[in-house]
Amino acid sequence: MNLSAQRPWITPVVIGAFLLSAVTGMLMFFHLDSGLNKTAHEWLSWAMVIGVGLHVLLNMPAFKRYLKQTTGRVVIGAFALILALSFIPAGGSSGSEPGFAPPVRALAKAPITVLAQVAGTSTEDLKAKLQAQGLTVTSDQQSVADLVGPDLRKQIGTISKVLPAAKS
C-alpha cells in the first residue's frame, strides 16, 4: 500500500479527530459535557491515535529530523516525562480514588434501614432485592459493605441494583 497516495484522507482524519478530541476534552474539563461528549471523546480518540500514527509514518523523514534537533528532543522528552509523572497517585493512596468514592462508601456503610429510606422503599423490599442478588441478609443493621466487602466496585454494583434509577 502506497501511504503517500493515502495523504488526501490521512491528514483530514488527524484534523477532524483533533478537533473532536480537543473540544470534547475542554467540555469535560469545565464540566460542560453533555449527551455523548464523553463517550465520543473516549472512543473516537482511537481515530486520532490511528490518524497520527499514519501521519507520522507518512512524514517519517521530518519526524526523524525533529528527534535529531535539541528543541524537538526537549519538547518531546518533556511531554514524555509529564506522561510518566501522570501515573503517580496524587496525594497518596486516598487521593487516587475518584471524587464519588467517599459518598458511595458512606452509603455502603449505612444500615439497610437507612438505605431503604434513601431508596424510597421498605426495608423488607430492599432486603428482598439484596437476597435476589445472592446476598444473605441476617439483620436490618447490616450494610452493603458488610454484605459485599470493601471492594468499591462491588458496593457500587450492589447499590445501583437496589436504588431506583434517577429520573430527571
Side-chain angles (χ1 to χ4, degrees):
M1 171 164 146
N2 181 4
L3 208 52
S4 293
Q6 306 307 316
R7 186 181 300 269
W9 67 267
I10 290 175
T11 301
V13 164
V14 172
I15 294 167
F18 172 79
L19 177 67
L20 179 128
S21 185
V23 171
T24 56
M26 286 189 293
L27 288 171
M28 288 171 22
F29 179 84
F30 291 109
H31 304 286
L32 299 172
D33 55 306
S34 62
L36 295 173
N37 290 150
K38 185 173 189 262
T39 302
H41 182 82
E42 290 173 344
W43 285 97
L44 296 177
S45 289
W46 286 105
M48 182 143 175
V49 169
I50 293 165
V52 168
L54 291 171
H55 186 74
V56 167
L57 288 174
L58 190 61
N59 296 289
M60 188 56 77
F63 184 71
K64 286 180 181 177
R65 273 194 308 273
Y66 285 119
L67 292 176
K68 290 179 184 175
Q69 299 169 357
T70 303
T71 303
R73 285 195 310 266
V74 168
V75 170
I76 294 168
F79 279 100
L81 178 62
I82 292 167
L83 173 62
L85 292 173
S86 74
F87 288 94
I88 297 172
S93 60
S94 64
S96 64
E97 283 190 336
F100 63 81
V104 170
R105 288 200 190 281
L107 196 56
K109 289 179 184 176
I112 290 173
T113 54
V114 173
L115 190 58
Q117 287 178 326
V118 171
T121 188
S122 70
T123 302
E124 295 307 315
D125 182 46
L126 186 68
K127 285 168 53 175
K129 287 180 180 180
L130 291 167
Q131 288 172 341
Q133 292 183 50
L135 301 170
T136 305
V137 181
T138 58
S139 164
D140 290 355
Q141 294 307 307
Q142 284 181 294
S143 66
V144 168
D146 294 334
L147 298 171
V148 301
D151 185 310
L152 184 64
R153 288 179 191 229
K154 288 181 182 176
Q155 292 173 357
I156 291 170
T158 302
I159 291 170
S160 67
K161 289 177 184 169
V162 298
L163 291 182
K167 295 177 182 154
S168 29

